[in-house]
Amino acid sequence: IMAMSTSALESKLESLREQSNQHSQALTQKLATSQSGQNLLHIGSSLSTLPPDLHALLTSLHPVLSAAESTDISNLKQLQTIVNVGNAIRVEKRRIENALD
């Protein structure tokens, strides 16, 4: 491993960031001009608002996905309660009908 000075490392980091931005812009442009890219544009907002890397995307989506999961769990519990109450009503209705016969 080659030893590099702090300034050389900072310069390399800046160069890599610039390359990353250029590649991101090129990819965005290609997506915006392709059919699949056009489909993405119809689905969401501008591709330029997409995070530059997957880690940032995962980090930003985690709270949304967590909230969706919590909502899904809550909805499932409510549905189970509704089904149980509906079943109890049916049982009582049959019991009353049988008692009247």
Side-chain angles (χ1 to χ4, degrees), residues 5-96:
S5 68
T6 301
S7 62
L9 288 171
E10 289 173 346
S11 175
K12 183 68 174 173
L13 175 62
E14 185 60 32
S15 172
L16 290 172
R17 283 184 177 152
E18 287 176 17
Q19 287 178 11
S20 173
N21 285 336
Q22 289 171 356
H23 291 303
S24 179
Q25 289 173 359
L27 177 60
T28 299
Q29 184 177 10
K30 286 179 182 179
L31 283 172
T33 57
S34 70
Q35 182 59 49
S36 59
Q38 290 296 316
N39 292 341
L40 287 173
L41 286 172
H42 292 315
I43 293 171
S45 58
S46 171
L47 289 175
S48 64
T49 63
L50 289 176
D53 60 63
L54 187 56
H55 179 72
L57 177 62
L58 292 174
T59 301
S60 64
L61 283 180
H62 188 275
V64 175
L65 294 175
S66 181
E69 183 179 21
S70 295
T71 300
D72 188 44
I73 290 170
S74 174
N75 287 344
L76 180 59
K77 288 179 181 177
Q78 289 176 358
L79 177 60
Q80 289 171 334
T81 299
I82 291 169
V83 168
N84 289 338
V85 168
N87 288 338
I89 289 171
R90 281 190 211 95
V91 167
E92 288 302 313
K93 181 181 173 194
R94 279 190 222 118
R95 188 182 65 75
I96 291 170

